[in-house]
Amino acid sequence: VVTLCRCAQVSRAWNVLALDGSNWQRIDLFDFQRDIEGRVVENISKRCGGFLRKLSLRGCQGVGDNALRTFAQNCRNIEVLNLNGCTKITDATCTSLSKFCSKLRHLDLASCTSITNLSLKALSEGCPLLEQLNISWCDQVTKDGIQALVRGCGGLKALFLKGCTQLEDEALKYIGAHCPELVTLNLQTCLQITDDGLITICRGCHKLQSLCASGCSNITDAILNALGQNCPRLRILEVARCSQLTDVGFTTLARNCHELEKMDLEECVQITDSTLIQLSIHCPRLQVLSLSHCELITDDGIRHLGNGACAHDRLEVIELDNCPLITDASLEHLKSCHSLERIELYDCQQITRAGIKRLRTHLPNIKVHAYFAPVTPPPSVGGSRQRFCRCCIIL
């Protein structure tokens, strides 16, 4: 954007060339100017017309429905549209997109909190090619909207529903029944979701590769069993704060989902070293693993992980915050993880500076984030003691 604008100022001839619509097929204004008004979007749409394929207005809070109606009328070949954080947007925008933009494939409406079920119904009727939709934090959406959406957009591959707190299991049953191509699903903090809904997803969406159910505290090992039995291509699983999950479920998962690359198990407080043993044996592609607040994990589990198939060439990040049983011995076990880039050790009381230094002799580029206990020096000559605060260090 900046380069084209500079070229347009050279001369009239350059201005014509620089502002030709064919040069403006992909526009991202986020790093250029975020406080644009609706008239700018209207001007862009008139200039680019049918050439424009991809537009990001992320964070442009001054853009509203009227500007986007003009945009939709002029840019009917738009395929990717990011309206994340455009808080003035309402259902009227989705109605315009439905009417004029039948080629739309990716749409991001995250944090557009005025969006309701009417938007999803409109998209279903006018945007049959839709593959990716983000309506995170659109908390007015209910199962009725999801039902309308999936009946017309059965080719959905990615659906982000983070913070859609009104969604229940019934919504997931519609997704499982109508979206066999689904690859990515985010349900973070959808608090009403239970095993019933997610099991339907697993049985209907065998191509699922990424599932985020963090904060869905009602789910149990039944979900892990269903994933293991139905979704062998699973690569990413985020189930932070799902405290009912146990070693039994993760054993089934690990034995069947060998392509796992990223797992967020923060505050899965019931898991033990048994889970790490299974991951070390069956998941050779594991790159990122969060075990923060898993207080039953010990050095023995880290030993198995450090000797596992993923250790030497794959494992990049391991988070062990608030794992009180972890000691410097765990750091010794991780020395062979040559791809390790970052390790989190906040509030691991038995980790020492000396242990971290020994680790860094083998992995000099690793970033270690840790808390160390307060240091209280001997009394001074005057008899008073100086107090030191707990501090965060990055080595």
Side-chain angles (χ1 to χ4, degrees), residues 73-252:
Q73 290 174 328
N74 291 319
C75 302
R76 302 191 182 203
N77 291 321
I78 191 74
E79 296 176 2
V80 180
L81 181 60
N82 188 340
L83 302 175
N84 189 321
C86 296
T87 52
K88 287 186 177 181
I89 298 303
T90 73
D91 293 329
T93 286
C94 289
T95 300
S96 298
L97 294 174
S98 172
K99 187 174 181 180
F100 301 110
C101 303
S102 60
K103 297 181 180 180
L104 193 63
R105 293 187 297 109
H106 294 186
L107 178 61
D108 190 338
L109 296 169
S111 300
C112 297
T113 53
S114 295
I115 294 298
T116 73
N117 293 336
L118 294 176
S119 286
L120 302 190
K121 184 175 184 296
L123 292 172
S124 175
E125 294 171 350
C127 303
L129 302 181
L130 199 63
E131 296 179 357
Q132 179 172 310
L133 178 64
N134 188 347
I135 51 172
S136 296
W137 308 113
C138 297
D139 55 7
Q140 297 189 59
V141 170
T142 71
K143 60 182 177 60
D144 295 332
I146 298 298
Q147 181 184 23
L149 174 72
V150 298
R151 285 182 172 173
C153 301
L156 278 169
K157 295 181 179 179
L159 191 53
F160 300 88
L161 304 172
K162 179 179 180 180
C164 294
T165 53
Q166 293 198 57
L167 294 185
E168 304 168 338
D169 290 334
E170 197 71 23
L172 301 193
K173 293 178 181 179
Y174 295 135
I175 296 171
H178 294 279
C179 300
E181 302 299 316
L182 196 67
V183 173
T184 300
L185 179 62
N186 190 320
L187 298 167
Q188 183 174 337
T189 63
C190 293
L191 304 178
Q192 300 187 59
I193 298 302
T194 72
D195 292 342
D196 289 343
L198 274 173
I199 288 174
T200 305
I201 292 289
C202 296
R203 291 175 177 171
C205 307
H206 298 291
K207 296 182 181 181
L208 196 66
Q209 295 183 22
S210 176
L211 174 64
C212 177
S214 294
C216 299
S217 56
N218 294 319
I219 65 174
T220 71
D221 284 342
I223 297 306
L224 303 180
N225 294 331
L227 285 168
Q229 294 167 8
N230 297 282
C231 304
R233 301 183 189 179
L234 193 68
R235 296 187 300 107
I236 299 173
L237 179 64
E238 299 178 20
V239 286
R241 304 182 302 284
C242 297
S243 58
Q244 298 189 59
L245 303 180
T246 73
D247 292 331
V248 176
F250 284 112
T251 295
T252 301

Side-chain angles (χ1 to χ4, degrees), residues 41-49 70 74-75:
V41 175
E42 294 178 14
N43 290 338
I44 287 175
S45 70
K46 292 173 183 177
R47 173 69 65 175
C48 300
T70 301
N74 291 319
C75 302

Side-chain angles (χ1 to χ4, degrees), residues 374-388:
V375 177
T376 306
S380 64
V381 176
S384 63
R385 296 175 66 89
Q386 182 180 1
R387 297 185 181 277
F388 285 72

Side-chain angles (χ1 to χ4, degrees), residues 309-375:
C310 67
H312 297 289
D313 301 317
R314 295 281 185 169
L315 193 63
E316 298 176 359
V317 176
I318 184 166
E319 298 178 357
L320 297 168
D321 303 336
N322 289 93
C323 292
L325 304 181
I326 295 298
T327 73
D328 286 349
S330 285
L331 304 186
E332 296 294 321
H333 299 320
L334 293 173
K335 285 181 178 179
S336 60
C337 300
H338 303 299
S339 297
L340 200 61
E341 299 175 356
R342 177 168 60 85
I343 183 169
E344 303 277 347
L345 297 165
Y346 294 121
D347 282 320
C348 292
Q349 302 293 332
Q350 300 191 66
I351 296 293
T352 68
R353 292 176 184 268
I356 293 174
K357 288 181 179 179
R358 287 193 295 271
L359 176 66
R360 293 206 64 193
T361 60
H362 293 267
L363 304 172
N365 296 320
I366 193 172
K367 292 182 179 179
V368 183
H369 298 185
Y371 273 134
F372 286 101
V375 177

Side-chain angles (χ1 to χ4, degrees), residues 264-279:
D264 184 353
L265 311 184
E266 182 174 348
E267 292 187 41
C268 291
V269 293
Q270 296 194 55
I271 66 171
T272 70
D273 293 336
S274 178
T275 289
L276 298 192
I277 293 172
Q278 296 300 321
L279 292 177

